[in-house]
């Protein structure tokens, strides 16, 4: 009996941490965090930037693949005069494509249209049946540029083996395109640049218009 009571009294007298010891531990912890904190924050920010870059890549690549697939099947490129609301130029592109293979280019004001316009508005890339009438494909678009080329050697005025924009749409390739000029376009280079919070990605594609009849 006396031995049990003695053990209990000894147990109650066990020594705890002093205020000085706690202060030392806290000081060591703060010193450790002063070195480890910036490293941890740097790794966290790097992970966020990587995730943001992946999201941008997926969105831009998906949009570019959609443009490539449809443009390869284009039968005709449209101009603003003959097809109001469906312009073609440096930053936007309109064309007709026989998606269902029935020999007819259908123009409907919904997703079933075969007259397609790609354009950028307020940093968003749209696909629609006309200018300002589309659904978004990609956001955070910094720029979208199309460069047009032909294959008719008679138009190669500088004899360099490449029919460039300036030869298709003289004098400099930057003016309004006419229906006749667009009829000679057989290849389009697309350059899509996306940007968000300092992360910039640029993607390009060289698309041959396989189904287009050269004028």
């Amino acid at each position: 009996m006396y031995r049990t009571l003695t053990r209990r009294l000894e147990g109650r007298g066990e020594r705890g941490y002093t205020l000085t010891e706690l202060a030392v531990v806290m000081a060591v912890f703060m010193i450790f965090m002063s070195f480890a904190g910036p490293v941890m924050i740097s790794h966290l920010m790097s992970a966020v930037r990587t995730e943001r870059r992946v999201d941008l890549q997926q969105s831009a690549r998906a949009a570019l693949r959609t443009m490539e697939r449809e443009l390869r099947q284009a039968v005709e490129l449209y101009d603003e005069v003959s097809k109001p609301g469906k312009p073609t130029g440096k930053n936007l592109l309109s064309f007709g494509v026989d998606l269902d293979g029935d020999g007819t280019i259908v123009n409907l004001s919904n997703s079933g249209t075969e007259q397609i316009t790609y354009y950028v508005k307020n940093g968003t890339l749209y696909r629609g049946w006309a200018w300002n009438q589309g659904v978004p494909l990609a956001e955070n678009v910094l720029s979208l540029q199309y460069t047009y080329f032909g294959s008719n050697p008679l138009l190669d005025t500088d004899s360099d083996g490449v029919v460039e924009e300036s030869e298709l749409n003289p004098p400099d390739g930057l003016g309004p395109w006419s229906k006749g000029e667009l009829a000679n376009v057989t290849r389009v280079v697309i350059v899509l640049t996306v940007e968000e919070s300092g992360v910039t990605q640029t993607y390009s594609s060289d698309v041959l218009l396989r189904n287009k009849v050269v004028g």
Side-chain angles (χ1 to χ4, degrees):
M1 177 177 179
Y2 290 108
R3 290 179 180 177
T4 302
L5 181 60
T6 301
R7 290 195 193 97
R8 289 177 179 174
L9 290 174
E10 288 176 353
R12 291 176 182 175
E14 289 180 356
R15 180 175 175 274
Y17 292 109
T18 66
L19 184 60
T20 301
E21 291 171 331
L22 289 174
V24 171
V25 171
M26 290 298 296
V28 172
F29 177 75
M30 293 300 293
I31 293 173
F32 169 78
M33 289 302 297
S34 68
F35 288 100
V39 176
M40 294 172 62
I41 294 174
S42 176
H43 283 298
L44 179 60
M45 294 303 296
S46 178
V48 170
R49 286 193 296 268
T50 300
E51 183 178 0
R52 186 175 297 148
R53 187 177 295 109
V54 170
D55 290 341
L56 284 172
Q57 289 175 347
Q58 291 177 341
S59 176
R61 286 175 176 171
L64 193 58
R65 283 195 298 269
T66 300
M67 283 191 285
E68 289 174 348
R69 184 179 65 253
E70 294 184 332
L71 188 54
R72 283 195 185 100
Q73 303 176 67
V75 176
E76 179 184 7
L77 299 184
Y78 296 143
D79 66 293
E80 179 70 22
V81 176
S82 62
K83 295 285 186 180
K86 304 178 189 298
T88 290
K90 196 65 178 176
N91 308 112
L92 67 173
L93 178 61
S94 300
F95 57 94
V97 53
D98 186 10
L99 294 174
D100 55 13
D102 64 354
T104 304
I105 306 299
V106 179
N107 183 27
L108 302 173
S109 56
N110 55 41
S111 60
T113 183
E114 293 179 327
Q115 294 188 8
I116 301 167
T117 297
Y118 284 102
Y119 62 94
V120 174
K121 182 178 180 181
N122 298 327
T124 300
L125 171 61
Y126 290 90
R127 174 196 183 276
W129 61 280
W131 161 254
N132 212 28
Q133 302 292 333
V135 295
L137 283 184
E139 297 181 341
N140 303 302
V141 176
L142 190 62
S143 66
L144 173 64
Q145 289 191 343
Y146 300 102
T147 304
Y148 305 95
F149 298 89
S151 58
N152 189 341
L154 296 177
L155 299 175
D156 185 15
T157 55
D158 58 7
S159 301
D160 65 350
V162 180
V163 182
E164 302 166 332
E165 280 191 349
S166 58
E167 295 166 318
L168 293 169
N169 176 227
D172 56 9
L174 300 177
W177 288 84
S178 68
K179 184 177 181 179
E181 292 169 342
L182 291 171
N184 289 293
V185 175
T186 55
R187 184 165 64 93
V188 180
V189 174
I190 307 171
V191 178
L192 175 64
T193 302
V194 292
E195 186 273 336
E196 182 181 12
S197 302
V199 178
T200 303
Q201 297 288 328
T202 298
Y203 303 93
S204 63
S205 178
D206 194 331
V207 183
L208 180 66
L209 282 60
R210 299 178 303 191
N211 297 336
K212 192 170 179 296
V213 177
V214 181

